Amino acid sequence: MRILLSNDDGVNAEGIKVLYEELSKFADVTLVAPDRNCSGASNSLTLLNPLRAQILDNGFISVNGTPTDSVHLAISQLMHPAPDLVVAGINNGANLGDDTLYSGTVAAATEGRHMGLPAVAVSLVGKDEEYYQTAAVIAANIIKRLKQHPLPSDQILNVNVPDLPLNDVKGIQVTRLGHRHKAETMKRMEDPWGRSIYWYGSLGAELDAGEGTDFNAVANGYASVTPLTVDMTAYKSMEQMTEWMSEVEV
């Protein structure tokens, strides 16, 4: 089994190193990741500058681009033959609910799926991000299962693992995405020269975190696995929208 491993925390992040070691026990793993932290990069591409790939002393490949760039470049140019699976992570922090829209980790997995490959995103949820090995083992077990029973062609798996010793994780729950309240507003500050600078505020509190959500599963000591579709069409609204648009003049 050939696996392309990437992330959004950067090629030197602890999480990707731990996951590389675990996956290498049963698969041929090629690690291609951004040369810096790209958290929050979502599905952005580098279009106005050339991409460069550098092989590091440990064999990892560093790319001066985004997570999406790294996966696209690896599949189209760097890996021959192509990988069987794309894995992104282990992310340093949660990718739950609405946060998946901004996640570079989920975006790396999504790019793999856009290029015709099954894909998994893996994140570690906690304040200290201590037990990367727990997330690595659970991710590896899920990937072994995928080898026998592949995903539908339009889905990726978003895996969030609580930051606990492996024996303390209660199990795995299949979940849906929860939702947050809106994020807090931008924070205005001043730099040392008195000029205005702005920082994003903290994440909004959980609005929909009930039973069945990814928030709820992780909060109760379970690993959360959410199947995500890359087709964002609101099919339930199409009939209503057709009626609505019939009154719009051309």
Side-chain angles (χ1 to χ4, degrees):
M1 187 180 196
R2 289 171 54 81
I3 294 176
L4 167 60
L5 178 60
S6 193
N7 71 354
D8 72 353
D9 290 325
V11 70
N12 294 311
E14 180 67 17
I16 200 170
K17 294 177 182 178
V18 173
L19 188 53
Y20 176 86
E21 293 298 327
E22 189 65 31
L23 297 181
S24 294
K25 294 177 181 178
F26 64 91
D28 178 9
V29 184
T30 299
L31 192 156
V32 183
D35 59 1
R36 64 206 181 282
N37 191 314
C38 291
S39 295
S42 189
N43 297 86
S44 59
L45 293 168
T46 301
L47 300 178
L48 301 180
N49 295 292
L51 293 174
R52 303 179 189 277
Q54 178 183 4
I55 301 177
L56 306 181
D57 291 342
N58 58 8
F60 297 171
I61 300 176
S62 172
V63 176
N64 64 327
T66 67
T68 300
D69 290 329
S70 299
V71 171
H72 196 104
L73 179 62
I75 295 172
S76 64
Q77 295 290 328
L78 304 180
M79 294 186 68
H80 304 288
D84 302 303
L85 174 72
V86 174
V87 181
I90 301 168
N91 189 65
N92 180 14
N95 279 305
L96 301 165
D98 309 286
D99 303 338
T100 58
L101 181 65
Y102 304 103
S103 168
T105 305
V106 175
T110 301
E111 187 65 14
R113 177 51 79 187
H114 283 330
M115 299 191 72
L117 298 172
V120 179
V122 187
S123 302
L124 184 66
V125 186
K127 294 182 179 180
D128 300 319
E129 283 79 37
E130 181 178 358
Y131 295 100
Y132 284 108
Q133 188 62 36
T134 297
V137 170
I138 290 174
N141 289 340
I142 291 171
I143 289 165
K144 291 173 185 176
R145 177 67 173 162
L146 283 177
K147 185 177 180 180
Q148 298 175 332
H149 298 276
L151 287 173
S153 60
D154 63 340
Q155 294 179 12
I156 67 172
L157 293 185
N158 185 37
V159 181
N160 283 272
V161 180
D163 190 23
L164 298 169
L166 183 60
N167 291 336
D168 291 346
V169 177
K170 296 178 181 178
I172 300 174
Q173 291 185 354
V174 177
T175 61
R176 62 177 176 84
L177 295 179
H179 298 286
R180 293 188 185 275
H181 286 280
K182 67 178 183 179
E184 293 186 10
T185 56
M186 284 268 187
K187 304 293 185 182
R188 179 188 175 280
M189 299 180 182
E190 290 187 353
D191 68 13
W193 297 272
R195 297 173 300 194
S196 294
I197 56 175
Y198 303 90
W199 290 94
Y200 281 101
S202 60
L203 294 172
E206 296 165 7
L207 173 63
D208 176 14
E211 187 174 351
T213 66
D214 47 3
F215 287 122
N216 184 269
V218 173
N220 286 283
Y222 291 88
S224 164
V225 178
T226 305
L228 303 178
T229 178
V230 297
D231 181 356
M232 294 187 290
T233 306
Y235 289 102
K236 293 181 180 179
S237 298
M238 290 187 68
E239 183 176 349
Q240 179 184 5
M241 182 59 63
T242 300
E243 181 179 350
W244 186 86
M245 290 298 295
S246 67
E247 302 296 326
V248 178
E249 294 183 0
V250 178

